[in-house]
């Protein structure tokens, strides 16, 4: 698991507004914005950035709840670019990642 997700447990960041996201919309966002660094889909061979967790690895981690993923996306690790995601985008991406659970 990448170090960027371990830092998530350091609270102090307000969670994203409540509500379930739409996994299909999150999948589209992931392929558009996240696939350059992360493996986000089964048909993606590899990511361009070495050492970042795949969305499948994140989803398989039982400690990574939808809420923790949303909080991380709202205040990303410095090595992750700030993409200016809206709260609905964050909820959708989190819903997509959670949908990848085995």
């Amino acid at each position: 698991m990448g170090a960027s997700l371990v830092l998530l447990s350091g609270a102090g960041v307000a969670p994203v507004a409540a509500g379930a996201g739409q996994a299909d919309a999150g999948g589209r966002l992931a392929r558009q914005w996240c696939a350059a660094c992360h493996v986000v889909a089964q048909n993606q061979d590899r990511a361009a950035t070495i050492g970042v967790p795949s969305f499948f690895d994140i989803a398989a981690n039982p400690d990574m709840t939808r809420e923790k993923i949303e909080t991380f996306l709202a205040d990303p690790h410095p090595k992750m670019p700030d993409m200016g995601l809206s709260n609905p985008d964050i909820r959708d991406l989190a819903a997509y990642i959670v949908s990848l659970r085995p």
Side-chain angles (χ1 to χ4, degrees):
M1 171 181 212
S4 60
L5 291 177
V6 173
L7 294 176
L8 181 68
S9 62
V13 177
V16 176
Q22 297 179 353
D24 58 337
R28 286 190 297 275
L29 284 170
R31 287 185 295 281
Q32 179 180 1
W33 296 106
C34 309
C37 295
H38 297 269
V39 172
V40 302
Q42 289 288 350
N43 64 352
Q44 185 179 351
D45 293 335
R46 60 190 162 113
T49 305
I50 297 171
V52 298
S54 75
F55 277 24
F56 299 96
D57 292 337
I58 297 166
N61 181 343
D63 293 331
M64 291 306 297
T65 64
R66 180 181 53 83
E67 292 80 10
K68 285 184 178 180
I69 295 168
E70 288 177 0
T71 300
F72 177 79
L73 291 171
D75 187 30
H77 184 276
K79 290 187 178 186
M80 189 174 119
D82 181 2
M83 297 181 296
L85 296 170
S86 68
N87 284 346
D89 289 344
I90 289 169
R91 287 191 300 270
D92 291 346
L93 276 170
Y96 175 68
I97 292 170
V98 169
S99 78
L100 301 174
R101 291 210 160 122

